[in-house]
Amino acid sequence: MGSVFVSNVVLLVVAALLVVGTLSSLLAARFGAPILLVFLVIGMAAGQAGPGGIQFDDYWATYMVGSAALAVILFDGGLRMRVASMRGAIIPAVGLSTVGVVLTAALVALVAAPLLGLGPVEGLLVGAIIASTDAAAVLFLVRAQGLHLGRRVGSVIEIESATNDPAAVFLTVLLVEILTTSTPDPGLAAAFGVVREMVIGAAMGVAGGYALVALLNRVDLPGGLHPVMVVGVAVLLFAVTSLLHGSGFLAVYLAGLVLGNRPVRAIASITSFLDTITWLCQIVMFVMLGLLVSPEKILHYALPALGVAAFLIAVGRPAAVFLCLAPFRFSTKEKLFISWAGLRGAVSIFLATIPMLAHLPQAEVYFNVAFTVVLVSLILHGWTMAAAARRFDVALSDPDPGVRRFEIDLPGQTEVELVAYPVVEGTPALGHDMLPPWARLMMVVRGGQTLTPEAAGVLKPGDFGYVLAPPKRVHQLDRLFRPQEVTPLDDSAAFPFVGEVRLGDLASFYGLAVPEVECGLTIADAFADRSDDHPARGMRITYGHAVIEVREVVDGRVAWAVLRLEAGRLRRSITRVRRLFGLGTGADEDEA
């Protein structure tokens, strides 16, 4: 009976941690705290040194759970990535995830070795462990605050996060092998290993993705089992690829990318289920990592670890980013933001368990330093990421509230899906004639009654509209069902322009601080780039002391926008116009 009691206690503790972790997300959202930091702190509080007093030091179990959790998270990231948004970002992102990882590890080793009293290879191992980023957390932080990163910047960050994990894992494993065995030519082994991991991982990922698409579309599973099978296949693909000495992390990301860009049955239920399961993976992984931590040991290594963290954030990451992106046309502000977006997360602590499993003499050092670096990064980057995006002008503000969309799978149908929207006051869809030709209103729920479109007439506030649309174009319906506030043009500093006006012309005429790489873009192109082709009325881009705001969107593209100038900039612009047309200056008129 004692074992039954222990089992019940374990279930109680695990369930309580999950409930507390889930509810704590509300507190984090209320006060703006990085949600991953909250999960980590809960694990620490429940650990041996905290009030929970749970004794947990199973690094093997942590490694196994972490591997499966990261596989699911990366698969979900690939599933939500659109190939069209990756143009111009793949090569720089892959450069950051390969050459950038090695550069970051090498630079950190220069500081970590003397600060921690380690040898050159051991210092390089510290750098490899903390070289990978957790950009999924970066994008979550930015989007949660109503900001949209530019297409290329956002894609570079996301692709880098998905592809730098394999490089960091391989480099860490290789250095652990060098420290535990006598590798005759580590340089040759590293080059061969990277090529092997990437090639096998890419091949398995693409093949596995297409196989999963065929399986979903041909096998008629009972309702609700499609998402379960997808998660199982993702973890299976990760394990098989790893056994073949390929990158399992790269394989699952590419498999998700293939699945997300192909017509697939039950895609709505799959994405909804993955929303839940990825949250669960994050909670479980960070709570387990927090349980492993001993605050006394963290304090023991605090000073040198903080030195490593400061060097990584201020020097190591920016140097790697600027060197890797030098051949590409990124502005200085974009490179600065990508440097600041190098948030360290669960992967770094997860990699620090590998030396513990290998029983390296300095394994404790690696783990505690990695934990400190992640803690600093979560606190510093977590609270400043959105502010940095605004400061470096790489995001646009979207003042409109998000839209609620309910997706319904149609059995045997992959070309269209049924989506439902609540209709509220202020939405453009209040008349269903506003729907584009590729979307069709199927029924309306009004006052508890189900009506045909003919019986319902125009949509009214309080209705639920059910629309049939192609899955890849559903997001374009969101703007029709999102409340929009019209900002009146009641100030003389607002100048209207059509969306096809070039930013370079506005820059030369009004003296705007438009980056050189954007001067060839039109207003519509700039908003399409920064909103990932989802522009909406009220979105704004700031250029120095001027703001361009969307006024009207037609067929998913900005048709009209207004330029707003501050008073000082307005006077200088008027003076420039007067001089251009030979009308003198405002001062001349005042004297006259």
Side-chain angles (χ1 to χ4, degrees), residues 78 228 246 344 499:
V228 177
R344 268 55 190 174

PDB file of all heavy atoms in Angstrom, residues 78 228 246 344 499:
ATOM      1  N   GLY A  78       7.395  25.102 -37.155  1.00  0.00           N
ATOM      2  CA  GLY A  78       7.419  24.897 -38.592  1.00  0.00           C
ATOM      3  C   GLY A  78       6.025  24.877 -39.192  1.00  0.00           C
ATOM      4  O   GLY A  78       5.799  25.392 -40.295  1.00  0.00           O
ATOM      5  N   VAL A 228      -3.423  13.732 -32.251  1.00  0.00           N
ATOM      6  CA  VAL A 228      -2.621  12.807 -31.448  1.00  0.00           C
ATOM      7  C   VAL A 228      -1.618  12.085 -32.338  1.00  0.00           C
ATOM      8  O   VAL A 228      -0.443  11.934 -31.990  1.00  0.00           O
ATOM      9  CB  VAL A 228      -3.520  11.797 -30.718  1.00  0.00           C
ATOM     10  CG1 VAL A 228      -2.684  10.793 -29.930  1.00  0.00           C
ATOM     11  CG2 VAL A 228      -4.490  12.521 -29.784  1.00  0.00           C
ATOM     12  N   GLY A 246      21.347  11.959 -37.690  1.00  0.00           N
ATOM     13  CA  GLY A 246      20.925  13.209 -38.294  1.00  0.00           C
ATOM     14  C   GLY A 246      20.378  14.144 -37.233  1.00  0.00           C
ATOM     15  O   GLY A 246      20.242  13.774 -36.060  1.00  0.00           O
ATOM     16  N   ARG A 344      17.957  33.582 -24.487  1.00  0.00           N
ATOM     17  CA  ARG A 344      18.319  32.202 -24.160  1.00  0.00           C
ATOM     18  C   ARG A 344      17.202  31.576 -23.355  1.00  0.00           C
ATOM     19  O   ARG A 344      16.636  32.208 -22.462  1.00  0.00           O
ATOM     20  CB  ARG A 344      19.629  32.164 -23.352  1.00  0.00           C
ATOM     21  CG  ARG A 344      20.881  32.013 -24.187  1.00  0.00           C
ATOM     22  CD  ARG A 344      21.032  33.052 -25.244  1.00  0.00           C
ATOM     23  NE  ARG A 344      22.125  32.753 -26.177  1.00  0.00           N
ATOM     24  CZ  ARG A 344      22.378  33.458 -27.251  1.00  0.00           C
ATOM     25  NH1 ARG A 344      21.644  34.480 -27.570  1.00  0.00           N
ATOM     26  NH2 ARG A 344      23.385  33.120 -28.052  1.00  0.00           N
ATOM     27  N   GLY A 499      -1.592  54.021 -51.438  1.00  0.00           N
ATOM     28  CA  GLY A 499      -0.626  53.041 -50.954  1.00  0.00           C
ATOM     29  C   GLY A 499       0.549  52.795 -51.873  1.00  0.00           C
ATOM     30  O   GLY A 499       1.564  52.247 -51.444  1.00  0.00           O
TER      31      GLY A 499
END
